[in-house]
Amino acid sequence: MFTFPILAVRKVIDRGIADAAANGGFRNPYYGTRPGEGERPGLWLVGDEGVYILSNGKLAEGARALVAYSEQCHPVGNPDWWDYKRRHFGGDDGIEFIDAEQLIPLFDRNLRCTHLNVQLTETEVSLSLIAR
């Protein structure tokens, strides 16, 4: 399971939308292997050097996407991040698109919740909210 503050998730989505408006749309998270898929407001859940969410709007030359690391899997400050990533995301790098249309209504219905939990299985991505 990977946990992200809802405020950070909202900022990543908003940044992707702003970048898309300024730069001509959304990036394809699958490097063109699945044309049109994931090219809408949302975010990318990325397993790489840690596990993080990434804004998905097209970027201006030299600009960087907004990133928010999961609480469990940040390579700075968590010495066990690699083992945790391998156990809950897998050893290979990967990316999953999560649509803003799934997230925003979930957040708006549960205003007392503070964090998003993302759990991965071989076949699905499960989302849940918690209050801290």
Side-chain angles (χ1 to χ4, degrees), residues 64-100:
R64 302 184 104 185
L66 183 59
V67 170
Y69 279 89
S70 75
E71 293 178 349
Q72 299 84 357
C73 213
H74 194 305
V76 176
N78 185 346
D80 297 323
W81 73 268
W82 176 246
D83 292 327
Y84 194 90
K85 180 207 177 264
R86 287 180 57 95
R87 190 168 56 250
H88 297 282
F89 195 97
D92 293 334
D93 294 348
I95 188 167
E96 291 293 330
F97 176 75
I98 302 175
D99 197 321

Side-chain angles (χ1 to χ4, degrees), residues 14-56:
D14 289 346
R15 171 68 180 278
I17 291 169
D19 286 340
N23 301 300
F26 294 94
R27 295 180 287 151
N28 184 303
Y30 306 106
Y31 302 101
T33 60
R34 300 184 211 168
E37 190 172 331
E39 295 176 20
R40 58 189 179 276
L43 54 85
W44 300 346
L45 176 70
V46 179
D48 183 23
E49 192 78 13
V51 174
Y52 51 91
I53 55 175
L54 181 72
S55 60
N56 70 329

